[in-house]
Amino acid sequence: MSMNLIILAAGQGSRMNSERPKVLHEIAGAPLLVHAMKSGASLEPEKTVVVAGVGAEQVEAAALKWDDSITTVRQDEQNGTGHAVLCARAAMADAIGDALVLYGDTPFITPETLAAMQAARTYADVVVLGFDVHDPTVRYGRLVTTGEALDKIVEFKDATEAERAIPLCNSGVICADAATLFSLLDDVTNDNASGEYYLTDIVGIARARGLSAAVVKCDEAETLGINTKAELARAEAAFQSRARASTQDDGVTLIAPDTVHFAHDTYIGRDSIIEQNVIFAPGVTVESDVRIRAFSHLEGCHVSRGSIVGPYARLRPGTELSEDVRIGNFVEVKGAMLGEGAKVNHLSYIGDAEIGARTNVGAGTITCNYDGYFKHQTTIGADVFIGSNTMLVAPVTVGDNALTGSGSVITEDVPADALALGRAKQATKPGLAKRLKDKLRAAKDALKKDE
Ligand code: UD1
Ligand code: CA
């Protein structure tokens, strides 16, 4: 049975107190909406429709940036979750099979749970994801059941006291045959406490038509919806603690797990060691047997086996470290490829560069890659020795086995095997320091006498 996704992301999210649409607030470096899209993608949907409304342009751009094969539709007025799903009707006209509705502000539904819902469709026409909360004051919709059968969903606002006492709550995730879903929605009205078209009403309508409905249950943590900044922070913490645990399960050593922060897509290989206070922004892959030393920040980079990075290193997007590379303290690397065994150990900036195997870059070296308007490339061969405090004014090329003298400003290409010196020649004047100091001291003493 083929599957299609409808992701609702049109809501206001006023409790975030923000100019930014709610679904674009981030956890682990990715918008809430992207987390929902990622979990939905585990079902390998034929078609994914994202319903945007508040901040639609930004929401659509974020959705398409993550997956440009999806379709976006607009809900110009937020008349409720049922109305939002109906906005996807035209986009879903050619969809065959099932449709599963997800919320863009509910980032943590697992692939296993979605698979269980898909499986439940073999025996039920409408499948709803529920969870237990033993608190009659929580404002979720309640699932009214008779035995295994789901009779209807009542919204909290419309529920009686007896219904509010039901522990089984609605997550919002619903699955049905796509054509059936839209047909059921045709009968939904806005005659309720909110004056909205509730998606949840389709269950009662389905039962009245003689269709069956069932509940699949999951843990409340999975269906966590995010409405406030405090909930966002709690969700981030929950994500991080799961990421720490699963990284350790993958055979990675975290010396102080609580101080390491992961992005939604961080990948670290087995037997790597991550020291204290390391931050992974999006787009990082680290191979096996790597050591990331304390206080390093990595983003959009790839670190190969055997490399050691940090402490206090910053790897920015486009950094590619081959095997056994050394990146030391206070080194920043961006858009650069370092060959096997290359070393940049101290206080350097390497940007828009290619550095060959076994090349050693001395302390304080800078690739001067930007002229205020354009970025330029630095190319350094293999087995090169770049002297400390070399300024490589790009575009510039240094050939294999070459050497640059410390403090050089290299503005011209250096051929292989050459020594390049680009600094003022030293002049030494015997006794001149002493004579100068004597003169200055005498002048200062004269001033003091005058006072
Ligand atoms: C909804 C459910 C409730 C469930 C709860 C779980 C309905 C009627 N109620 O309530 O049973 O317990 O979720 O969190 O479905 N949205 C739109 N357009 C709209 C309205 C909402 O796109 O017109 C989107 C929102 O952006 C959000 C999602 O739908 O992502 C849920 O909307 P929200 O208003 O938060 O629903 P709840 O009142 O929480
Ligand atoms: Ca909600």
Side-chain angles (χ1 to χ4, degrees):
M1 178 65 79
S2 64
M3 180 59 82
N4 301 276
L5 288 180
I6 300 171
I7 305 181
L8 305 189
Q12 168 81 58
S14 49
R15 288 161 69 200
M16 280 288 184
N17 191 11
S18 169
E19 292 296 316
R20 190 194 286 218
K22 175 160 90 166
V23 296
L24 297 189
H25 286 84
E26 294 186 350
I27 290 176
L32 298 178
L33 175 61
V34 166
H35 287 269
M37 290 171 73
K38 279 176 79 169
S39 75
S42 68
L43 292 170
E44 297 181 2
E46 293 289 317
K47 182 157 205 156
T48 297
V49 180
V50 171
V51 182
V54 174
E57 276 170 34
Q58 286 164 272
V59 171
E60 288 163 356
L64 290 163
K65 185 178 169 202
W66 178 253
D67 179 356
D68 63 8
S69 73
I70 62 126
T71 305
T72 62
V73 298
R74 294 251 173 131
Q75 184 195 25
D76 292 323
E77 268 179 73
Q78 280 64 63
N79 295 329
T81 49
H83 176 251
V85 173
L86 276 173
C87 292
R89 181 179 234 160
M92 291 278 289
D94 56 351
I96 42 166
D98 279 2
L100 183 122
V101 179
L102 282 176
Y103 290 171
D105 66 348
T106 307
F108 294 147
I109 311 245
T110 62
E112 293 73 21
T113 294
L114 294 181
M117 290 188 69
Q118 192 173 25
R121 276 278 296 115
T122 55
Y123 60 84
D125 295 308
V126 178
V127 177
V128 174
L129 182 63
F131 57 99
D132 282 324
V133 180
H134 295 273
D135 177 354
T137 66
V138 293
R139 305 183 64 82
Y140 289 118
R142 296 301 197 276
L143 303 184
V144 181
T145 53
T146 309
E148 292 292 292
L150 175 61
D151 300 328
K152 61 174 180 172
I153 307 178
V154 275
E155 283 309 291
F156 182 84
K157 277 187 189 169
D158 304 291
T160 62
E161 216 166 300
E163 286 166 337
R164 287 179 181 183
I166 297 173
L168 189 56
C169 292
N170 176 32
S171 70
V173 185
I174 281 187
C175 185
D177 167 73
T180 308
L181 174 72
F182 290 114
S183 151
L184 292 168
L185 281 167
D186 279 334
D187 288 356
V188 171
T189 67
N190 63 351
D191 179 19
N192 54 50
S194 308
E196 288 186 357
Y197 295 87
Y198 293 160
L199 170 62
T200 45
D201 283 354
I202 66 165
V203 172
I205 295 166
R207 292 305 307 278
R209 287 193 197 173
L211 299 174
S212 60
V215 183
V216 165
K217 283 217 266 183
C218 72
D219 202 68
E220 191 191 359
E222 266 187 60
T223 64
L224 194 74
I226 290 155
N227 301 298
T228 64
K229 292 277 167 67
E231 285 171 7
L232 185 69
R234 280 200 289 277
E236 176 80 45
F239 177 93
Q240 293 300 336
S241 68
R242 280 197 296 272
R244 287 166 193 141
S246 74
T247 305
Q248 292 175 88
D249 287 346
D250 290 344
V252 176
T253 300
L254 303 180
I255 294 176
D258 288 352
T259 68
V260 178
H261 286 254
F262 295 98
H264 65 107
D265 59 353
T266 307
Y267 175 81
I268 303 176
R270 210 163 161 246
D271 287 323
S272 282
I273 298 173
I274 313 299
E275 296 185 3
Q276 298 86 338
N277 295 291
V278 172
I279 294 171
F280 295 96
V284 178
T285 55
V286 173
E287 294 184 3
S288 303
D289 293 312
V290 166
R291 190 168 189 115
I292 310 291
R293 293 193 174 279
F295 296 98
S296 294
H297 188 285
L298 289 80
E299 177 176 9
C301 63
H302 175 232
V303 180
S304 301
R305 183 184 286 271
S307 293
I308 301 177
V309 173
Y312 297 98
R314 180 168 180 210
L315 302 186
R316 291 173 52 203
T319 296
E320 171 78 38
L321 306 185
S322 307
E323 295 189 5
D324 301 314
V325 164
R326 297 285 176 275
I327 299 294
N329 42 272
F330 306 108
V331 172
E332 175 182 347
V333 186
K334 184 219 77 170
M337 147 80 199
L338 276 75
E340 201 174 322
K343 292 182 180 143
V344 188
N345 270 328
H346 329 271
L347 301 157
S348 286
Y349 171 64
I350 303 297
D352 303 315
E354 203 179 310
I355 296 180
R358 297 170 303 281
T359 284
N360 185 89
V361 176
T365 294
I366 287 173
T367 55
C368 310
N369 62 328
Y370 186 48
D371 57 19
Y373 297 92
F374 297 101
K375 299 280 172 68
H376 303 283
Q377 193 75 16
T378 299
T379 306
I380 302 174
D383 300 298
V384 171
F385 186 92
I386 300 289
S388 295
N389 196 35
T390 296
M391 299 295 120
L392 296 151
V393 183
V396 72
T397 297
V398 179
D400 291 347
N401 270 307
L403 203 155
T404 68
S406 323
S408 288
V409 179
I410 302 295
T411 55
E412 288 166 17
D413 289 353
V414 180
D417 300 315
L419 164 66
L421 289 170
R423 63 190 187 206
K425 197 166 164 42
Q426 181 171 328
T428 308
K429 316 276 183 189
L432 187 58
K434 185 171 184 306
R435 291 212 304 278
L436 194 62
K437 284 181 177 180
D438 289 347
K439 192 175 150 189
L440 292 170
R441 195 179 304 114
K444 194 163 183 180
D445 288 349
L447 266 179
K448 271 189 193 150
K449 264 179 216 146
D450 287 353
E451 274 167 8

